[in-house]
Amino acid sequence: MKLIEPNPVADQTARLDLKRYLGVIGRYWLPIALFVLVVTVIATVFVLAITPVYRATATLLIESQANKAVSIEEVYALDTSKKEYYQTQFEILRSDHIAEKVIDQLGIAEVREFNNTIGKLSARDQLLTALYRIEPLQQFLPAPVSPSSVPDSEAARQAVLNKFKSHLAIEPIRNTQLVNIHFGSADPALAAKVANAIGTAYIESNLEARLVATQTASVWITDRLGKLKDNLDSAEMMLTEFLKAEGLIELSDIDELAGTELTNLTIRVAEARDRRVAAEALYAQLQDKRGRTSGLLSVPEISNHPQVRDLKNAETDAQRRVSELAKRYGPKHDKMIQAQAQLDAVRARTYSVINDLASGIEKELNSAREQEASLIATLNDKKGDYQDITSKRAQYESLKRDVDASRQLYEMFLNRQKETTATSDFEAVNARFTDKAATPQDPFRPQTTKLIVISAAFALLLGIVGALLADAYRNTIEKPEDVEEKLGLQHLGFLPRVKAKRFKNTPLDHTLYLDPDEVLFAESVRTIRTSILLTMTNSQRKILSVTSSLPAEGKTTVAINLAQSLAKMERTLIIDCDLRMPAVGQRYGLPRNQAGLTNVLVMGAPVSDCIYHDDETQLDILPAGLLPPNPQELLASPKFAALLNQLKQSYDRIILDTPPVHVVSDSLILGRLAGGMLLVVKAESTTEKQVNQTVAQLVRHDIAIDGVVLNQLAAKYAEEKYKLHYGYYKPQNQKDDTLEAS
């Protein structure tokens, strides 16, 4: 058996080959076209049966702030700077309140499109009405209810509301303050009325809400204003009583005066303290130098005193006079005595003054201490008084703050009351129409052309997908490349599908090979012949057996035409070994009782008497003969093997037409005798699994597979394979076959 190894490059190319998928679509184009046509017709009928719906659109501008004469937004308004404000307005447009208002205003509940219960009775009422028509039962049943008098129920109103809202669409225009109000209805005029009514109802609802809020705010502010006035009067009275009780007129001047006095006292205390410290330091020096005049004179406060300075000058003058007189007179001289007495008097005076000054410094120290103590005591008293004033001031400020806060709140509410009163009759709206809905002229849905085109496109897509899935699950051998890629077997050639009208209801006969109009078929047969001869170049085999997996795959056609092609080159015999359903003799127009193989094996008839020679093709034919009851025993008998050996002596090539492998096991016996088997596969019919089962059987019985012939190949594959078109070849003659053989 000759197997072909898979080619990875070929596998990758096959995966990426779009021609294969286009080929599948081309093969199934008729079912796909019929499916698309049927779906398109059904879709067209369905679309045309749909009641057209007209859609009207009104456009509203929702402003972030309504126009107001006086702003009172702080009382009740929303924060319009946030996107939640617009989302809220859109939901209000979709609300049941607006929808119910429009339904009642336009009488939508009485329109059949939105209320299917109009003119209909419930099942119970219908039954009672039918029974009431029977006269004997009329006295036992209540009078029937007429459709027009059926009371409206809450369920019916809710159904109308739901149906109405299903026709309504609110569509904000991105990045704007505009919103589209869409409404669809079978009545175009009604659609326009409803769209405009929705916008008007929204504007009126918003206006009513604002007016109600204004009135509510006015009542609340008036009530609150009285309470705030009472609070203000109470706060002012408490402040007045406090001022009277404390004997105060205004604390601001008292605070300023007390602050100045405390500051002055603090400065004076500091000065007294400095004076006292200086006196204490001077007094300490005097204490160390008391009793020594020279020591006291070293104190700057004493030495720099004017009296001391004058006495020092006088003492200096007296000393100079004594010194001058001492140069002239002796110590006993009157002038010397007088001058010395004057010097002593000056010195005594100086000592007396110094002592007086020292006593004065001590007195100054005591005075400084007393003054400092007095100032500190005064400062402490003033601080106590100031703390008392501060406490009173805190109470005053607390009462004053209450008065100010009450007055401010009262004045604010008073202003709000005036604003609310001034704007109570002002109709401020936050929305207005930019475009009112007009009566639509063309239906919004169904979009007939678009739906039909989409249906056709979808049907085409489904058809293509179905064709590809059918092809994938079919898993048949379609083209020559599949033989090697899927089966791994050697491909010897193919036979194209014959479309001749004369073979429409009859099997292909022996004349097809010589038909000048079927040159592609003849060329394909010669290609198979060449492949077989090249394969068997180094082999001494003369017998070729032809089989298939299933019946009706064309094994007899391949065997006959291959034999006719070989007969052009060498002496060839074809034996019909399908003793259960023989067909070779029939293809050559031989009678059913024509002597054949069974006559030789069972009756011992001479083989030469049973062989039919076709003069036109120069081919010898040994038909099956009469149908035996034991065909497998005959083919496995030594007589048949001896017959083949005998015929080998007379013929260059013997072709055996064998039964299908999956039907009976006769072909396995014949394959062992022939030394190999030529397998015929019907294109686009035999599955890969069936062929693999056949190959497995042949391999299990050690039968070599000479190759595979693909039968009934689509013409497009045949022409593409050989790059040919019908009419390219000229009729072949015997001379051509002879040249090919050489």
Side-chain angles (χ1 to χ4, degrees), residues 310-331:
D310 292 341
L311 290 173
K312 290 294 290 182
N313 292 333
E315 184 180 0
T316 301
D317 293 340
Q319 286 179 349
R320 186 174 61 250
R321 184 173 177 77
V322 170
S323 298
E324 290 177 355
L325 291 175
K327 293 178 181 181
R328 296 182 200 178
Y329 309 105

Side-chain angles (χ1 to χ4, degrees), residues 647-661:
L647 293 174
K648 286 181 184 179
Q649 306 301 322
S650 303
Y651 293 95
D652 299 318
R653 198 73 59 187
I654 300 175
I655 306 298
L656 304 181
D657 182 19
T658 67
V661 176

Side-chain angles (χ1 to χ4, degrees), residues 297-311:
L297 288 174
S298 63
V299 178
E301 284 77 1
I302 294 176
S303 61
N304 292 332
H305 195 273
Q307 290 183 356
V308 175
R309 198 166 46 246
D310 292 341
L311 290 173

Side-chain angles (χ1 to χ4, degrees), residues 538-558:
N538 298 325
S539 175
Q540 300 298 323
R541 286 174 52 197
K542 291 187 176 182
I543 303 176
L544 285 175
S545 60
V546 181
T547 189
S548 62
S549 300
L550 301 172
E553 289 197 67
K555 61 177 182 58
T556 302
T557 300
V558 173

Side-chain angles (χ1 to χ4, degrees), residues 447-465:
Q447 299 179 4
T448 307
T449 304
K450 184 177 180 179
L451 290 177
I452 293 175
V453 171
I454 291 176
S455 301
F458 186 69
L460 178 61
L461 179 61
L462 285 181
I464 293 174
V465 171

Side-chain angles (χ1 to χ4, degrees), residues 657-715:
D657 182 19
T658 67
V661 176
H662 283 190
V663 178
V664 293
S665 58
D666 299 359
S667 56
L668 301 178
I669 299 172
L670 297 170
R672 293 291 297 273
L673 293 175
M677 187 69 74
L678 183 65
L679 184 61
V680 176
V681 176
K682 184 178 180 180
E684 302 179 18
S685 176
T686 309
T687 64
E688 181 181 350
K689 180 179 179 181
Q690 292 169 338
V691 177
N692 287 332
Q693 290 176 351
T694 301
V695 172
Q697 279 190 281
L698 296 176
V699 172
R700 190 162 50 248
H701 291 82
D702 197 21
I703 300 174
I705 300 178
D706 296 325
V708 175
V709 174
L710 196 59
N711 189 33
Q712 296 190 27
L713 183 67

Side-chain angles (χ1 to χ4, degrees), residues 581-641:
M581 295 186 66
V584 175
Q586 181 184 358
R587 302 291 180 91
Y588 282 90
L590 300 179
R592 291 183 176 274
N593 59 355
Q594 173 72 31
L597 179 60
T598 56
N599 298 84
V600 176
L601 297 179
V602 177
M603 302 177 184
V607 66
S608 58
D609 295 341
C610 298
I611 294 177
Y612 170 77
H613 179 75
D614 184 51
D615 295 331
E616 187 177 10
T617 61
Q618 300 299 315
L619 176 66
D620 288 344
I621 301 104
L622 179 59
L626 299 177
L627 298 181
N630 55 345
Q632 191 171 109
E633 287 78 1
L634 290 179
L635 295 176
S637 64
K639 289 185 179 181
F640 182 69

